[in-house]
Amino acid sequence: MSAATGRLRMGIVGLGRLGKRHAGNLAYRVPGAALVAACSPVEEERAWAREALPATRLYDDYADLLADREVDAVWLVTPSSLHAQQIVDALHAGKHVFCEKPLSLDLAECERVLAEAARYPHLQATIGFMRRFDPSYRDAFEKIEAGKIGRPFLVRSQTTDQNDTDGFFVRFAASSGGIFLDCTVHDIDVARWLLGKPRAKRVFAAGAAVLHDGLREFGDVDNGVAICEFEGGKLAMFYASRTQAHGNDTHSEVIGTSGALVVGRNPRLNRVEIYDATGVRNECTPSFFDRFEEAFLFEAQAFVAAVLSGGSAPAGASLADAVEATRIGAAMRESLLEGEAVVL
Amino acid sequence: MSAATGRLRMGIVGLGRLGKRHAGNLAYRVPGAALVAACSPVEEERAWAREALPATRLYDDYADLLADREVDAVWLVTPSSLHAQQIVDALHAGKHVFCEKPLSLDLAECERVLAEAARYPHLQATIGFMRRFDPSYRDAFEKIEAGKIGRPFLVRSQTTDQNDTDGFFVRFAASSGGIFLDCTVHDIDVARWLLGKPRAKRVFAAGAAVLHDGLREFGDVDNGVAICEFEGGKLAMFYASRTQAHGNDTHSEVIGTSGALVVGRNPRLNRVEIYDATGVRNECTPSFFDRFEEAFLFEAQAFVAAVLSGGSAPAGASLADAVEATRIGAAMRESLLEGEAVVL
Amino acid sequence: MSAATGRLRMGIVGLGRLGKRHAGNLAYRVPGAALVAACSPVEEERAWAREALPATRLYDDYADLLADREVDAVWLVTPSSLHAQQIVDALHAGKHVFCEKPLSLDLAECERVLAEAARYPHLQATIGFMRRFDPSYRDAFEKIEAGKIGRPFLVRSQTTDQNDTDGFFVRFAASSGGIFLDCTVHDIDVARWLLGKPRAKRVFAAGAAVLHDGLREFGDVDNGVAICEFEGGKLAMFYASRTQAHGNDTHSEVIGTSGALVVGRNPRLNRVEIYDATGVRNECTPSFFDRFEEAFLFEAQAFVAAVLSGGSAPAGASLADAVEATRIGAAMRESLLEGEAVVL
Amino acid sequence: MSAATGRLRMGIVGLGRLGKRHAGNLAYRVPGAALVAACSPVEEERAWAREALPATRLYDDYADLLADREVDAVWLVTPSSLHAQQIVDALHAGKHVFCEKPLSLDLAECERVLAEAARYPHLQATIGFMRRFDPSYRDAFEKIEAGKIGRPFLVRSQTTDQNDTDGFFVRFAASSGGIFLDCTVHDIDVARWLLGKPRAKRVFAAGAAVLHDGLREFGDVDNGVAICEFEGGKLAMFYASRTQAHGNDTHSEVIGTSGALVVGRNPRLNRVEIYDATGVRNECTPSFFDRFEEAFLFEAQAFVAAVLSGGSAPAGASLADAVEATRIGAAMRESLLEGEAVVL
């Protein structure tokens, strides 16, 4: 933290589409934060930073940013395959670290990061499961904590994207880890969070490539379903899709012994209803960007507040949470490929 | 009532579109009723009756049906201009009578029927404000009675039809009494019923012929709005339209000191929601027939039950209720034409 | 069919709660049907029939009803364990037969009935999966047939009951077949129907006894989830529950390549919305009786119409459909008990 | 504008509850703006500014702030009775001005400000009808502009607050101008905006003090309804209330010749639905602060962008719009008091 201003000096790494959004938040909308540095190997992205961000030091090499002693924390929005090593490097450099999900698609590497981080208990290390910061998910979590639905025992959660005829995710399939590790991992984290972090016992998954045949060569599907059994009789059902017609429809339901909460069903774009010859309708959020705009902001605010308060508890999902979500997602992928239930 | 069967012997008069529906209900779906006679001057309608109804005696002259001593009650679905005299004739013939709304468009004639009916207190005489028998309106009424919204003080109610490009109601404008007496009269009855029958003090109305210029020569409009002030600080707002795009949207709202009830907003056709590239939508009820199918049945059941139980209270709207609704609707028409509030 | 009246002469068997409802429909609300006989071993139920039904011949023995030559079709609302033999007996007696689900909980017995029925192709034999006759499910089916959602590939469907503190279904657990054969069998039929009858390949199920420990001794659960994979990349997810707080919430969703349809989500009791200090809410259907009242009527009308038209196609679910639903449900039960996916 | 930074240097005046919110937006969330000064006669509010705002010059006297040559624009969140003179003073001092509604409750004073402002066409002067900046209202406006509902002809709009048992607005009644000038003035502006600024011809209003008797001595009501007729057959209906049970329910509907749009009906607090023994419900926005949080931010962004772009068109409601809304609201108040329609 800057002794002069009391603000947390942040360095953002990666300025793609999502990185730009995070940068704007950190620069202008997070009390207590000062975005002092940015890093991208792409000249065009650094040019954007020169225009759009307040006076920040720009780097094209991550090592240089880590060497910047006026940076207290790094914010990683880089390709997934780099996450694990970059987190470890940040911790080695004595910096707090926020990293976009996933931690890693490789369980062994996840475990390695977890072990390494244990050596730096005074440093905040959080994985960006932003749904935990969406105000509606947050409200549901608090209602559950307050006992409003009794004992929660079942989560049904989905991450479904509007069909992308451009097929970006098909090209991305080789490195995405497949639909369960790319999409459902969010729902797995939601389920664990809302059910009180029960240990997973067994998963079963199935799926189909309904519109995007190109996924098959990667063992991937564009629509996947899964069940996860946890200890203590808790359950979760998941659905992930790349082919929805109406928009990005990311929602969750948690059922308890005396009630249930649904978060985000009918992904209304806004508060407008349209009455016309086709009926009464609302438009839908086209992408997760539109749906989770506030969540991205609030997770940044929470991270900064957590560091500034000096507490050791991560503001959102811990590395251990991320490892567990990856373990479950990887088991789903295995189940999909094998056609059998997988015991964890 | 038939001494042999204990059933109320009904004669239906008028077998147009709505008459056929009532006939089907009375013939097959009303416990305690026997449809024993039908009357229509139209041979085609009588032919329908021969096919579709159980053994009923058919008449082409209303007087002949009234002379049928095996008929206990008549059910009038005739042109509005005939209602008043036909009700009086039925009472003179010693028969209970149900008559589709309106009682009459002419207030003096309304009063005459009311006076005449007072001489036959043992005969049931009901005007068909079917909304009182719709299960959802009934539920709202009962919740109000039970104090669930505190003291009700404001009703907002509307009767709005899907635009009819055929322009039936333009041709009908000469005899319809105008939009307030034809449509809003239902909402007026709803407001009085839900607010506890307060006395109306003043009305103001306005409107426009938005799509159907032909209405202007009749002093009528295709969209009308009105306010009615009742004694005791109770209020009502009304909207009537002939030009809706999405369907027949007939709904009401009643606001009380500790809550409010809305009946029928979003006129869902059924329980299906459609998710597609335009958003999330439901289709709507195209006509009041679709919306109030159950209400037409239940009002018939209530009428028959009321007569069989021997009580003197009308099952639904009494003649006096119909007179009062007509008085208020006529004042709205006057207000529309004069551009001033009308004191009742 | 009665030569004199052209009506199908029906005999109902079993006059419990659901039987009474069917009897009322057949007696008064099904064009072309005449309820001429009823059978129950319970004197109290026969007494009810004497009061509530039109002149019907009453039997206390099923064999006597089958011997009644003036009965064209039987309508079975008897205990599940009797269904299979009663269907066979009805066919042997030359009578059309409608039977409430399930056909049988035992697959071998199901197959036996199927084989027997094949010898009577001129007789209508239908199992009562009433959801096929619910107007909203029917609308969804027709929209799918019309290509409105492209190619359907995923069904999510649930049958969830309001929690019954009385624990009826715990006492019933010994003979119910468990939650998947008792409840989910409806959803399985819906999925097969809406997906075009694909062949099931594999199922996985899980569950927990969340509130009703007494189920455990029967290997049953009060909340169960399942996935079914069909040939051709089609999928289904199911949820069944005995413990909902808000009511009977039976709904289905079908997802296609260009849209999706949801049938019955938010199990609104009626068209009333309540605004009060707790928010904006609607009440819910307490039981499947309330939700499917129309469906029970329409399935009776469809059965009678199918017989009278002389066609050989069953009006709703055929015996073969019922066998297949049972096969899938039984595999789910096996999966639940074994903790492994079951290949069909 | 600061030559050095290119940012618009703002001075905020008034730091009550709403002023604090505006100050936070201007300080941290409006690109292109620098909040450089704040003014309040209340020491406590200035103390808040010292803590919460970035380095701003603090004044206790409005004249001193106007004399600050490093202030380009003032942002007035002061008591209503001061607005008119403070706007004029700001313009005299060569500063752009944003002022919270109302311009003035006195029509003559409104006209005087309008005339004065005409002498400063290069200065931006906007009245804070924030609903124009709410994303959902904005979406509706754009859909209307794009012809999605044909020709709009009727607006129904309401401003209804959750009942305040503390009775703040009763104490405020002497100076609020009454419910129509205090609340409905927003809806009037919405109606004019969405209907294309038609000229008002006639209004009628009615109301009642349902829960707050203390309003009567001020000629005010806690529930008011009104109709406004515009030229060209356009219409508006309004409802204002201080006594809602469920929350602040501010919504609008615009009906056109080929469709309708509803903005904000069912004032959902967030995306959570609660399923419990009372049914399915959502919680509601308790106050306009919660409902219009984004709108307050976006109106600030739009104001600043408009000034920086050098255009002369006001970003939102012009002074002339505010004058017209006041004229109509004042006529409603007159109609309420007189019990007659008022011609404009």
Side-chain angles (χ1 to χ4, degrees), chain C residues 113-166:
Chain C
V113 177
L114 194 59
E116 195 71 20
R119 297 172 47 210
Y120 302 88
H122 58 294
L123 292 178
Q124 175 80 225
T126 297
I127 300 297
F129 286 114
M130 78 288 189
R131 247 178 262 183
R132 294 191 182 207
F133 297 96
D134 174 68
S136 296
Y137 275 93
R138 175 65 51 177
D139 182 29
F141 176 77
E142 289 167 1
K143 284 187 161 65
I144 294 168
E145 291 279 292
K148 296 293 177 67
I149 62 166
R151 185 162 40 89
F153 61 86
L154 171 61
V155 162
R156 295 194 284 187
S157 190
Q158 72 175 50
T159 298
T160 69
D161 284 316
Q162 194 163 29
N163 189 41
D164 172 16
T165 52
D166 179 52

Side-chain angles (χ1 to χ4, degrees), chain A residues 28 136 260 262 264 271 273 275, chain D residues 28 136 260 262 264 271 273 275:
Chain A
Y28 300 112
S136 296
V262 180
R271 291 180 184 267
E273 284 179 300
Y275 286 62
Chain D
Y28 300 112
S136 296
V262 179
R271 291 180 184 266
E273 285 178 300
Y275 286 62

Side-chain angles (χ1 to χ4, degrees), chain A residues 137-206:
Chain A
Y137 275 94
R138 176 64 52 181
D139 181 28
F141 176 77
E142 289 167 2
K143 284 188 162 64
I144 294 167
E145 291 280 290
K148 296 294 176 66
I149 61 166
R151 184 163 40 89
F153 62 86
L154 170 61
V155 163
R156 294 195 284 188
S157 190
Q158 72 175 51
T159 298
T160 69
D161 284 315
Q162 194 163 28
N163 189 42
D164 172 16
T165 52
D166 179 53
F168 162 77
F169 66 89
V170 178
R171 297 190 300 277
F172 179 55
S175 64
S176 73
I179 200 165
F180 295 115
L181 280 167
D182 190 35
C183 299
T184 306
V185 72
H186 281 290
D187 302 288
I188 296 169
D189 184 63
V190 163
R192 291 185 66 252
W193 179 49
L194 297 181
L195 291 175
K197 303 203 180 179
R199 218 180 63 76
K201 285 169 44 185
R202 182 165 34 211
V203 301
F204 177 79

